[in-house]
Amino acid sequence: MASFFKANTPLDVVKHLALVLGAAALLVLGFFYVYLPVTTHHGETITVPKVTGMNVADLEKYLDERNLAYFVDDSSYNPGIRPFTVLTQDPAPGEKVKEGRKIYLQVAMKRPPVIKMPKLVDGSVKNAQLILQSYDLVVGQIKLVPNLAQNAVLKQFVNGKEIVPGSPVAKGTRIDLEVGDGLGNQEFPVPNLVNMPQDEAVTLLVGQGLQKGEVFEVAAEEGQTAGTVVRQRPVPGPDATIRMGQLVDLWIAK
């Protein structure tokens, strides 16, 4: 009876510890190399197919047959692409993934998104073109009208009707612009430059908002002073008018 309660020897303790550690190691190895592979298909991968260019309606069956899924997380509008066409995908084609992995998609919208019309009036036509491009709007007809504000946008139109900034407009809409030609529409009598020295004639033109055109030199006739204007175009007269910014050609005696 007393021998039954005899304390274990150090060797017995070592044996017991070895058995416990061995059992624990078997449990760990069994969990990672037997249980997990069976339950999670560890090590099995699927090559992601290319789905860009496909229609979303065809993806359900196509990906289900390959044990994959999809999720549309973004969309954009392009008038040249069929609605619901897949534009981008993540993961990319050819990547290795586990079964059941979701493929995240960007899809073409059926209708263009509506945005607020930007303000183009009072800015330059070049700046207006850049703004329209950044808003995915289309630059339409640019019509020059008499106005001293050269290349400045005076009005903005959609389908022939003026549109004010902040109005709703769909992306891809054509925007027509009315732009100043820098000349204005104010007319006044043609100034008479004949017999004036050339430098004084040019100064007068500039002062009246006109421009010097071509200058021709001609032989001075009797009574004409060299360096003076002997002829001009347009010709001055009671009914002759000119518009600001126009050219005046000069004939100078030499």
Side-chain angles (χ1 to χ4, degrees), residues 167-190:
S167 300
V169 61
K171 285 190 176 184
T173 299
R174 173 187 168 115
I175 309 297
D176 299 322
L177 303 175
E178 192 173 276
V179 178
D181 62 4
L183 301 179
N185 55 6
Q186 181 181 0
E187 293 188 349
F188 49 89
V190 176

Side-chain angles (χ1 to χ4, degrees), residues 5-72:
F5 293 99
K6 186 178 180 181
N8 291 332
T9 64
L11 181 60
D12 292 332
V13 174
V14 171
K15 288 180 179 180
H16 291 159
L17 287 174
L19 287 173
V20 171
L21 292 174
L26 287 174
L27 287 173
V28 172
L29 292 174
F31 178 78
F32 284 104
Y33 292 98
V34 178
Y35 177 76
L36 282 182
V38 170
T39 57
T40 65
H41 303 283
H42 183 70
E44 295 182 16
T45 58
I46 300 173
T47 302
V48 176
K50 179 185 177 184
V51 296
T52 53
M54 294 181 62
N55 192 282
V56 174
D58 302 326
L59 288 183
E60 189 77 38
K61 181 179 178 182
Y62 181 78
L63 292 178
D64 189 58
E65 291 174 348
R66 291 160 176 77
N67 296 320
L68 294 170
Y70 74 91
F71 179 77
V72 178

Side-chain angles (χ1 to χ4, degrees), residues 71-75 104-106:
F71 179 77
V72 178
D73 69 342
D74 196 9
S75 59
Y104 294 89
L105 309 175
Q106 182 187 42

Side-chain angles (χ1 to χ4, degrees), residues 20-251:
V20 171
L21 292 174
L26 287 174
L27 287 173
V28 172
L29 292 174
F31 178 78
F32 284 104
Y33 292 98
V34 178
Y35 177 76
L36 282 182
V38 170
T39 57
T40 65
H41 303 283
H42 183 70
E44 295 182 16
T45 58
I46 300 173
T47 302
V48 176
K50 179 185 177 184
V51 296
T52 53
M54 294 181 62
N55 192 282
V56 174
D58 302 326
L59 288 183
E60 189 77 38
K61 181 179 178 182
Y62 181 78
L63 292 178
D64 189 58
E65 291 174 348
R66 291 160 176 77
N67 296 320
L68 294 170
Y70 74 91
F71 179 77
V72 178
D73 69 342
D74 196 9
S75 59
S76 62
Y77 178 75
N78 188 320
I81 298 179
R82 240 181 359 168
F84 306 116
T85 298
V86 178
L87 303 175
T88 62
Q89 67 177 85
D90 181 32
E95 289 191 25
K96 302 291 185 179
V97 298
K98 294 173 66 173
E99 289 186 4
R101 171 67 185 269
K102 282 184 180 179
I103 300 177
Y104 294 89
L105 309 175
Q106 182 187 42
V107 177
M109 299 174 64
K110 183 177 181 180
R111 293 184 179 85
V114 175
I115 59 174
K116 291 184 178 180
M117 179 66 198
K119 182 179 183 294
L120 308 176
V121 175
D122 296 332
S124 70
V125 64
K126 184 176 181 180
N127 188 54
Q129 291 172 317
L130 293 174
I131 293 175
L132 291 176
Q133 184 179 5
S134 68
Y135 276 73
D136 291 329
L137 298 170
V138 179
V139 180
Q141 180 185 13
I142 298 178
K143 180 182 178 182
L144 295 177
V145 297
N147 194 285
L148 293 178
Q150 187 174 18
N151 294 326
V153 177
L154 306 176
K155 294 181 181 179
Q156 50 197 35
F157 298 89
V158 173
N159 297 325
K161 295 182 179 179
E162 191 169 357
I163 181 170
V164 298
S167 300
V169 61
K171 285 190 176 184
T173 299
R174 173 187 168 115
I175 309 297
D176 299 322
L177 303 175
E178 192 173 276
V179 178
D181 62 4
L183 301 179
N185 55 6
Q186 181 181 0
E187 293 188 349
F188 49 89
V190 176
N192 187 356
L193 309 174
V194 176
N195 295 326
M196 292 181 62
Q198 181 181 351
D199 55 349
E200 292 183 14
V202 172
T203 300
L204 177 62
L205 290 176
V206 173
Q208 294 193 7
L210 300 172
Q211 299 184 57
K212 180 183 70 174
E214 294 187 76
V215 177
F216 307 95
E217 289 189 344
V218 294
E221 298 180 359
E222 185 177 352
Q224 293 178 340
T225 304
T228 59
V229 178
V230 296
R231 181 184 168 194
Q232 69 179 78
R233 183 174 56 201
V235 177
D239 300 321
T241 59
I242 193 170
R243 195 171 63 182
M244 190 175 292
Q246 286 188 317
L247 300 173
V248 178
D249 300 327
L250 304 174
W251 281 258

